[in-house]
Amino acid sequence: MPARTAAAVTATTTALAIALTACGGSEDRGGGGSAAPVRGGTFTYGAAVGTSCLDPHTSPGDITAVVQRNVFDSLVHLDAKGTFHPWLATSWEISDDARSYTFDLRDDVTFHDGTRFDAAAVKANLEHIRAPATKSLYAAALLGPYRNSEVLDEHRIRITFSEPSVPFLQAASTPYLGIASPASLARHKDELCAGGKFSVGSGPFRSERYVKNDRAEFTRNADYRWAPKGAAHQGPPLVDRLVVRFLPEDSVRAGALTSGQVDAAAVPITSAEALERDSSLELTARQAPGASYSLYLNTDRGPLRDERVRRAVQRSVDVDALVRGVYRGEYARAWSPLSPTTPGGYDDSIKGAIPHDPRGAAALLDRAGWTGRDSDGYRTKDGERLRLRWPYIAALVRDQRDVLGEAVQAELKKNGVDLVRDAVDTGAYFERYGKGDYDVWDNAWVRADPAILSGFYLSTQLPSAGGQNVSRTDDPRVDAWLRAGAAEKSPKEREKSYAKVERWAVDHGTVLPLYVPVTTVGVGRETRGLTFDANAWPQFAGVWKSDR
């Protein structure tokens, strides 16, 4: 590895390792022991949500990343302790200004369709992600200021950016920038979301079948020999088949786990305490890095254009009481748009920045001119009710967020704010998302890098451009801090830049952080080898089941 690369990786690794300690490592879950692995059989995982698209270049969903990590490899690997390792790339060199990355690639990798992996394949994937026709809702944002790719020879490529892009290495480790067979991208460009035979990567499992919102099925890639150094398992998977079942009903998923219908499952918050008492199961919980579950306030529409109204919304809600009541101590209250386990970015001094102050909130609303009251007790101004709209997809609600949402409604009603939760279908949801046709938008996003804030707050990262700037923030200071964070190689200096964004976002009423997401997975006692990556997502390449 070139010297500049080693230095940059070492500096970044130090910051990552400190922050990821709270998440735990990638240890074996499900009984432990030193018995020799049992090969063969089927492993079934119960997921909490389904997805309308299994193309990680298009879909922003966490579940898409979890499922398709089995199919698509990445250029580099970020382990659960925060260390970068070669994967499809054997080494890399980062320019002094962090505007270009030169990767040397493996020459022994084959995609599931027999196509050989090479530099042209990497270029085809990056160009596909950035193509408007792909309609990427997240991967394009991860590429950031991507300019172009230059194939230097068959197994060497240079990727260039128009601005410094220190976060790119972490982005390149994610399934969203996973490398698909270029033949599949060309041949099935309109069918990639359908998964199954249209998902063609080089990963440890081959995608066989996807039944929307029911299951995804995979078979063992017996030829797999290029797992990254640092991965808990090397070589082909131990099981013959992997099945991911989508079980959105909490009671159904918990029942499937306790009855043995699935070997592991995302544990619903409503069942965590009961399942912890079940001696036939083991549970592990990790706070996820990235964006906390928060309500983002649209600063470019209606009453929320007024910062006083936004700050009043923040102060009207007793977040501590709501999170305690709904999650019974399983989740921690969030104070920042960043999760505390986000490597190299979280500012602990932000705790307490949003007080529960209904009287102060009422005074802010009065000063903003919302002094009238209608027959239902809601505030009015010039005959218009203080109404805010919050769209959501009912079928994708998880983690008791419907209960939490209703509680937030009730809190705001006390101060005369009418928060209307609009249940809409998927098409209408993303249409409104792209157009900014909402007042409140809820979101949580997993990423093991504070650069997640760029997606949410860089002025150019509006949803219509593939970003997540749902608050529609447009402030030159914020842009400057985010660009400084992307250009600075020193972890301490990066942290300072991102901390300014965190504080600004909270102080200017763009966000109401609610809770820190937690990945809780339950496994049967016979399950072995289930590990977790830097995103706190379960990994299945090394799973097996004992015969006891």
Side-chain angles (χ1 to χ4, degrees):
M1 185 180 298
R4 283 200 297 271
T5 302
V9 172
T10 299
T12 304
T13 296
T14 301
L16 287 168
I18 293 171
L20 288 171
T21 300
C23 291
S26 57
E27 73 272 16
D28 184 334
R29 301 303 303 175
S34 57
V38 175
R39 300 180 182 276
T42 298
F43 188 89
T44 304
Y45 177 74
V49 293
T51 176
S52 60
C53 179
L54 271 184
D55 178 13
H57 293 172
T58 297
S59 171
D62 290 355
I63 188 60
T64 300
V66 171
V67 170
Q68 296 295 60
R69 175 81 296 170
N70 301 293
V71 177
F72 299 112
D73 294 329
S74 294
L75 290 173
V76 297
H77 170 64
L78 176 63
D79 69 22
K81 295 180 180 179
T83 302
F84 287 103
H85 301 277
W87 195 347
L88 293 180
T90 59
S91 64
W92 54 90
E93 182 176 358
I94 307 172
S95 65
D96 289 334
D97 62 3
R99 290 174 182 260
S100 73
Y101 288 69
T102 302
F103 292 93
D104 290 303
L105 308 174
R106 295 187 68 120
D107 60 6
D108 59 347
V109 174
T110 304
F111 291 106
H112 301 152
D113 60 4
T115 304
R116 300 288 294 181
F117 166 75
D118 57 15
V122 176
K123 179 180 176 69
N125 275 261
L126 299 182
E127 296 297 333
H128 172 259
I129 290 169
R130 288 302 299 267
T134 302
K135 298 180 180 179
S136 174
L137 293 173
Y138 183 44
L142 281 178
L143 279 180
Y146 171 81
R147 174 176 285 168
N148 57 44
S149 299
E150 180 184 359
V151 175
L152 302 178
D153 61 37
E154 187 176 3
H155 294 100
R156 186 174 172 82
I157 188 170
R158 179 179 297 121
I159 300 169
T160 305
F161 300 88
S162 59
E163 300 175 11
S165 187
V166 170
F168 175 67
L169 202 61
Q170 186 278 330
S173 75
T174 68
Y176 301 106
L177 300 191
I179 307 300
S181 162
S184 71
L185 296 180
R187 188 177 302 126
H188 305 299
K189 61 181 180 179
D190 297 324
E191 301 163 303
L192 298 174
C193 274
K197 64 182 180 181
F198 304 118
S199 294
V200 183
S202 61
F205 288 96
R206 300 172 182 265
S207 181
E208 293 292 330
R209 188 167 77 111
Y210 172 57
V211 180
K212 185 177 178 180
N213 292 324
D214 179 53
R215 65 182 55 214
E217 299 176 354
F218 309 87
T219 57
R220 178 176 182 264
N221 179 8
D223 298 324
Y224 195 69
R225 296 290 187 277
W226 42 84
K229 181 182 178 181
H233 177 73
Q234 300 291 318
L238 297 173
V239 295
D240 294 327
R241 297 181 70 247
L242 171 67
V243 177
V244 178
R245 294 180 58 191
F246 304 108
L247 304 172
E249 291 292 332
D250 287 353
S251 59
V252 172
R253 196 164 65 261
L257 179 61
T258 56
S259 65
Q261 296 176 56
V262 299
D263 302 298
V267 171
I269 191 68
T270 51
S271 305
E273 290 184 14
L275 293 178
E276 284 175 341
R277 295 192 294 269
D278 190 330
S279 61
S280 68
L281 303 174
E282 285 193 7
L283 268 63
T284 183
R286 285 169 169 76
Q287 286 188 344
S292 300
Y293 179 66
S294 304
L295 302 185
Y296 291 87
L297 309 183
N298 188 344
T299 65
D300 193 37
R301 168 174 145 140
L304 295 180
R305 286 194 179 100
D306 190 327
E307 184 177 314
R308 293 169 297 187
V309 177
R310 301 197 302 269
R311 290 167 54 208
V313 168
Q314 290 177 319
R315 286 154 175 74
S316 294
V317 181
D318 190 350
V319 177
D320 277 325
L322 297 191
V323 172
R324 281 197 307 269
V326 175
Y327 299 110
R328 300 186 291 277
E330 296 290 336
Y331 290 176
R333 184 247 168 96
W335 291 99
S336 165
L338 275 185
S339 162
T341 55
T342 306
Y346 184 74
D347 179 11
D348 192 59
S349 71
I350 203 169
K351 187 174 182 180
I354 303 177
H356 177 226
D357 180 14
R359 288 187 179 179
L364 284 168
L365 292 174
D366 287 342
R367 290 200 296 273
W370 294 93
T371 54
R373 295 277 181 166
D374 63 17
S375 59
D376 294 318
Y378 292 108
R379 288 178 176 267
T380 62
K381 179 180 179 181
D382 300 327
E384 178 184 352
R385 176 182 286 190
L386 180 48
R387 174 175 289 160
L388 307 176
R389 293 199 171 273
W390 173 6
Y392 69 99
I393 303 173
L396 297 184
V397 171
R398 55 177 169 170
D399 285 351
Q400 296 287 92
R401 291 176 182 175
D402 52 345
V403 177
L404 184 61
E406 291 169 1
V408 171
Q409 276 182 306
E411 289 284 279
L412 290 176
K413 184 176 182 179
K414 294 175 185 177
N415 240 333
V417 180
D418 183 16
L419 177 62
V420 179
R421 301 184 72 236
D422 295 328
V424 297
D425 61 31
T426 303
Y429 180 86
F430 283 107
E431 181 179 0
R432 292 179 66 170
Y433 175 73
K435 293 181 177 179
D437 182 17
Y438 55 85
D439 299 299
V440 176
W441 200 271
D442 64 316
N443 222 325
W445 218 289
V446 175
R447 185 178 180 184
D449 195 288
I452 186 72
L453 286 172
S454 293
F456 280 90
Y457 282 101
L458 197 64
S459 62
T460 57
Q461 292 296 317
L462 294 174
S464 57
Q468 300 82 47
N469 185 356
V470 287
S471 67
R472 305 184 77 83
T473 291
D474 185 0
D475 189 290
R477 293 171 299 172
V478 175
D479 285 352
W481 295 327
L482 290 169
R483 290 194 168 97
E488 180 57 65
K489 291 183 179 179
S490 164
K492 289 184 178 180
E493 293 304 314
R494 288 190 82 211
E495 186 170 350
K496 289 179 182 178
S497 294
Y498 290 121
K500 291 176 183 177
V501 178
E502 288 178 79
R503 176 64 66 171
W504 185 96
V506 167
D507 288 350
H508 289 269
T510 70
V511 62
L512 175 59
L514 294 177
Y515 68 82
V516 181
V518 174
T519 298
T520 304
V521 174
V523 299
R525 290 286 180 179
E526 70 281 2
T527 294
R528 303 287 191 275
L530 183 69
T531 60
F532 297 82
D533 68 4
N535 299 295
W537 290 331
Q539 306 291 290
F540 304 107
V543 295
W544 57 283
K545 295 187 291 184
S546 69
D547 54 6
R548 65 170 178 155

